[in-house]
Structure formats: structure tokens, C-alpha cells
Amino acid sequence: MSDSSPLPPVRLRPAAELARDALATPLLSRAARLARWADGTTRVGAGGELIDEQLPAAAEELGFTPAADPDGDGPAHAAGAWRIAVDCGLVEIADEEEGTVTTGDALASLTSGSPDDVLHLWLTALEATLADASVPDLEDLAGSVGEDGTLDLGSLDWDPESEADFLDGVLGNLYLMTVGEEGPAEESAVPLPVLAASMLVPEGMEQPSDEILEEVSEAMVRLDEQFQLIEPIGLVEFQPVDEALLVEDDGEELPAQVDESDISRYGMVRLTPLGLYGMRTRLAEAGIAAPLVGDLADKGADALLTGTSGYPQAAAQSEIEQWLGRRETLGAARELLAAARGGDEGAPLRRLRCQQALSLVDASAEPALREVLGDPELGGLARVWLAEHGAADVPPPSESMIFWLTVDTLAAQLDAEGNSPELRALVEGLAQQHSGFFDTVWRVDHPDTAKVLEAMGRLHPDKKVAKEARKAAFKARSQKGI
């Protein structure tokens, strides 16, 4: 994910609800339980870890009794939860030489603090969990310890910084895929192969090479392990790769050929509502603009129209609704229309967002629309709004105004969606419905006339019509001396 790429806004749940979710996550709730369980007899090692002799008791405290834990994973879960308790300050080392602990001040914040206090501790736990997920498993580490007791990173083929950066990139792409959806963000699940490919397949490569596909497969195996470690902190919900699909390849387990008819068997991952909060916070702390729906509600109409220009349609509408909800209708309409004026590069898209906003207001906005009927930039959209609301005595637009509005609308659509199928259909419809369209449109005094005509030449499937559009674009440029 590029740091310079503008991100769509995300709608987060209230802090109180997120804090309840945080408290209910398996890892943080276990950490709190162990912090309350620890007493004067609890002993830890030099790094603050529970000594091996106490892990069975800690596991039993968490409910991992022999009957409930036939696989014997309880001690490992207890050790992980204890690390989170130490990292979050739920327990503190009282005496390093004796290896004793005491209750940390953070435990009170977790149990009786504000939602923000709880979320702050959860974010600390999240960072610790992500750091753990970037480390190779203990068996690999044990085999790479030299005779002098130091870790030989070269023998592991593991670069801690690169591994952490790769996981950060994966999570960043997952966030982008999630908030970029038009539907409710928290309902979007991403197939693991798609997520791995987003990091490894070069942009524009239609058919990945065998080497790239092998890298994707290896990344999927690693991500499958990492997401299983991350899921207990509540960042994601994860459906692991079906073990039946794993095959042996040079001694390594790799996913078999992906069957697109049942891609869920290759792993599915979804950011939870708490995960959206966590990732948005991490991105913001990294200096990446990660807006929230509602960020523009208290700003002026110019900031609203400019800020939503790059948003997906649904996100833009949500932002506009919040902005309108805080204002009187007539005044809001006047402010929007004033901000929509201009001949700069972003003006067409501002006017498109202005139209979207005005479609949400009632008839009390009519005076503001009538005030701009004579405006060459706003008169067309004002007439459209008045006609849609059944207003009387609306003067018909001139031919020049109709063509200007057409160019302006196409320019906005081009900026918003690029060469989309919707824009292609609009281009085909215009050329079909208006005979002599290109003979007239090149004369329109709009900054984007030539750009729009060039786009029509690219998009129209009929070669003859496309050639007419390109000729008209040349005339438009010549007229402006370009």
C-alpha cells in the first residue's frame, strides 16, 4: 500500500462498543485473568516470562484443564497471555533477582477505566501480538542458536525488519480492500490468495510467472500461521487454509492449485470492527491519512466537496449526510453552490458532489437554486434539481448550457471513476442520441472539453464514432491554442 495513496474514510463503532469488544478478546481477557491470578508465589524468569513450573497452573486458571485441553496447548496459551500481561503493564516485576511480580497500575485501567483507557491497552497488546507473529516458530529458532548462545539470523533466512514490514503491508492492503468496498466494511472478507498476491504480483501483470506463484504460495502458508496467531487479539476473524489442500513440495508445505469455485478453502480473513479501529489508528500514527466518516461534518462546504471528491460513492454520501444534518437546509444549499464554482482541475468533481448533496435536501432549498439559474457553471445543475422537484416556471436551458453541463458531467465522471463501464455506456448513449454531437461540443468553453473528447475517442467501441471524437478533441485544443 502506497503511503501517498488517499484512503477512503471508514465508519467506526462507538468507543464504548469497541472497548467491550477489546475486553472480550481471548488474548486480552486471558492476560487480565492471569494478572488477577498472580500472587506472591508467582515466579518469572529474567525476561519476565512465567517459569515452566508455573505454566500448568496458569493454563488451568484459564480453563485449560487436562479434560478440556487434550492437545496440551494450554501452557503455550498461558505463556502468550502472560507476555501480553507484562507488555501491557497488567503485572510488573517486583524483584528481578527473586523473580517476583506485583499487580500493575494498568489492570485498574483495564477493569474500571474509560473506553479510551481500554482501547489504549488493547493497542499495546496488538503491537505485541504483531511483533510475536513476525517471529519464526520456536523450533526454527532453537535450531539456529550457535554454540555461544547467540541467534544466527542468517541460518534462518529471516530478516526481522523485512518480515515485520511485509506483515504491515499485508494488513495495510487488507484495510484498503475493506474500506474500499461500497458495502458495510466490517462484512468484507478477503481470500488469503488475493491478499498474498496483492503484495507479490507486480501491478499490471495479467499472468503471474511460476516464480511469482511460488512466492504467493509460500506467503499464504506463512500468513495462515500468522493470522492464527493474530486472531485471538481480535484484529481479524480468520478461516484457516484447509489442511487437505496442502501438498508436499521440496519438503515444504504449499497450497495446491487454487480452485476458484471454492476459494474459501484457501483461507479467508476479515477485519473486525475492532480491527478497523486498530488498523486505522496504526496507519494514522504512521503518518498515513486514514479519514473517518464524519471528519468533514464541521468544516465548510469547500472542504466537504474537495474532501469527498476521491471517496467511493457510498462513503461520500455518508459524509454528506452528516454534514447536512448539522445545518439549516437553505443555508447549506447556498454554501454548497458557492463552493462548487470554479474552473480549476477539481471543479467538475466538486460540482458532481454538490449535485449529490443537493439531491438529499428538500424543497426548502429552492430559493438557493433559483439564485444561480443565470450562472454559466451552476445554471444547468440548478435546472435539473428544480425540474426533479416539480418546481414551476423554470426557464429552459440554452443549447450552450446543455453542452457545457454535459462536458462538465463527463469530466467529473472521468475523474471519479476513470474508464469505467458506466462512463463507457454514457459515452455511447450521448453519441447515439445526439446527431451532430461532435460538430457542436468541441466549441464548448469548458477547461476539460478536449480531455473529455479524447476520452470519448478511447472509450467508444465504434471506430468511426471514436475517430469523430478524436477530430473534435483536436479542434478543441486548436481553438484554445494548445
Side-chain angles (χ1 to χ4, degrees):
M1 187 183 70
S2 170
D3 289 358
S4 62
S5 300
L7 294 175
V10 62
R11 185 189 295 277
L12 297 180
R13 293 186 179 182
E17 189 173 338
L18 292 173
R20 286 194 296 271
D21 289 347
L23 290 171
T25 59
L27 200 47
L28 191 56
S29 61
R30 289 171 187 165
R33 189 166 180 176
L34 289 184
R36 290 189 290 268
W37 163 80
D39 58 22
T41 66
T42 305
R43 292 293 182 269
V44 297
E49 73 282 0
L50 276 177
I51 61 174
D52 291 344
E53 292 80 3
Q54 294 205 307
L55 285 175
E60 189 166 344
E61 174 64 22
L62 296 178
F64 293 103
T65 62
D69 183 31
D71 295 331
D73 295 330
H77 288 302
W82 182 262
R83 285 197 301 272
I84 294 300
V86 173
D87 288 338
C88 290
L90 305 181
V91 292
E92 296 176 356
I93 310 302
D95 188 319
E96 290 186 4
E97 291 186 2
E98 295 293 329
T100 57
V101 298
T102 185
T103 301
D105 294 337
L107 184 60
S109 296
L110 191 66
T111 56
S112 58
S114 68
D116 286 342
D117 292 334
V118 172
L119 291 172
H120 176 75
L121 287 169
W122 178 80
L123 288 168
T124 302
L126 173 63
E127 293 303 322
T129 303
L130 294 177
D132 285 346
S134 298
V135 177
D137 62 43
L138 292 176
E139 291 182 3
D140 290 340
L141 288 176
S144 301
V145 176
E147 293 181 1
D148 59 356
T150 60
L151 186 63
D152 181 7
L153 295 180
S155 67
L156 274 176
D157 190 24
W158 172 63
D159 180 346
E161 186 174 347
S162 295
E163 188 72 22
D165 287 345
F166 185 81
L167 182 56
D168 281 344
V170 167
L171 293 174
N173 283 354
L174 178 59
Y175 180 89
L176 182 59
M177 292 176 187
T178 303
V179 301
E181 297 289 336
E182 287 291 345
E186 60 195 53
E187 295 179 4
S188 303
V190 178
L192 198 59
V194 172
L195 195 54
S198 74
M199 292 293 295
L200 298 168
V201 179
E203 187 174 354
M205 179 182 283
E206 294 183 4
Q207 183 60 46
S209 65
D210 290 342
E211 182 180 357
I212 292 291
L213 290 175
E214 183 176 353
E215 289 180 14
V216 170
S217 294
E218 291 173 352
M220 285 171 57
V221 172
R222 180 65 178 136
L223 289 172
D224 182 58
E225 297 170 351
Q226 290 177 317
F227 280 125
Q228 291 185 62
L229 294 173
I230 293 168
E231 186 177 29
I233 198 58
L235 183 77
V236 298
E237 287 183 1
F238 182 59
Q239 176 183 322
V241 176
D242 185 343
E243 293 184 3
L245 297 175
L246 296 175
V247 297
E248 292 294 329
D249 183 12
D250 294 333
E252 295 184 5
E253 288 188 335
L254 297 176
Q257 183 66 35
V258 173
D259 176 7
E260 295 184 359
S261 66
D262 192 8
I263 199 169
S264 65
R265 295 180 64 198
Y266 295 84
M268 299 289 289
V269 62
R270 179 182 77 86
L271 280 176
T272 64
L274 183 62
L276 280 171
Y277 161 79
M279 281 307 304
R280 190 260 171 186
T281 302
R282 295 185 84 237
L283 291 168
E285 289 177 351
I288 299 174
L292 287 171
V293 172
D295 277 352
L296 303 176
D298 294 325
K299 301 186 183 298
D302 54 345
L304 175 73
L305 298 183
T306 300
T308 57
S309 61
Y311 287 7
Q313 183 76 5
Q317 178 141 335
S318 294
E319 190 71 50
I320 290 168
E321 286 172 349
Q322 291 204 27
W323 189 89
L324 288 171
R326 301 189 184 191
R327 288 162 178 79
E328 175 267 331
T329 300
L330 181 57
R334 285 179 172 138
E335 190 178 349
L336 287 166
L337 289 164
R341 288 190 174 93
D344 57 283
E345 185 177 352
L349 198 46
R350 286 203 309 275
R351 282 186 283 273
L352 184 65
R353 292 300 186 218
C354 177
Q355 286 181 279
Q356 183 180 354
L358 291 172
S359 71
L360 302 175
V361 301
D362 59 30
S364 61
E366 182 175 335
L369 277 299
R370 288 193 176 277
E371 290 165 5
V372 298
L373 283 172
D375 189 297
E377 296 177 349
L378 304 177
L381 69 86
R383 283 168 171 79
V384 171
W385 187 93
L386 290 167
E388 289 176 346
H389 286 75
D393 301 322
V394 179
S398 63
E399 182 181 70
S400 61
M401 181 173 285
I402 292 173
F403 275 89
W404 194 96
L405 181 59
T406 300
V407 170
D408 198 56
T409 301
L410 287 171
Q413 294 285 359
L414 192 61
D415 289 341
E417 302 174 5
N419 300 333
S420 66
E422 292 79 10
L423 183 59
R424 185 184 299 271
L426 182 58
V427 165
E428 291 182 38
L430 281 170
Q432 183 177 2
Q433 294 170 16
H434 300 278
S435 59
F437 177 81
F438 296 112
D439 293 334
T440 303
V441 72
W442 67 267
R443 296 182 173 88
V444 172
D445 186 18
H446 190 290
D448 291 326
T449 298
K451 182 179 79 171
V452 165
L453 287 168
E454 286 172 351
M456 294 183 78
R458 284 196 313 272
L459 294 172
H460 204 288
D462 187 301
K463 291 183 179 180
K464 181 179 179 181
V465 176
K467 185 177 181 180
E468 288 182 37
R470 290 193 294 271
K471 284 184 177 179
F474 177 78
K475 291 180 181 179
R477 291 199 179 280
S478 299
Q479 178 180 246
K480 293 183 178 293
I482 300 175

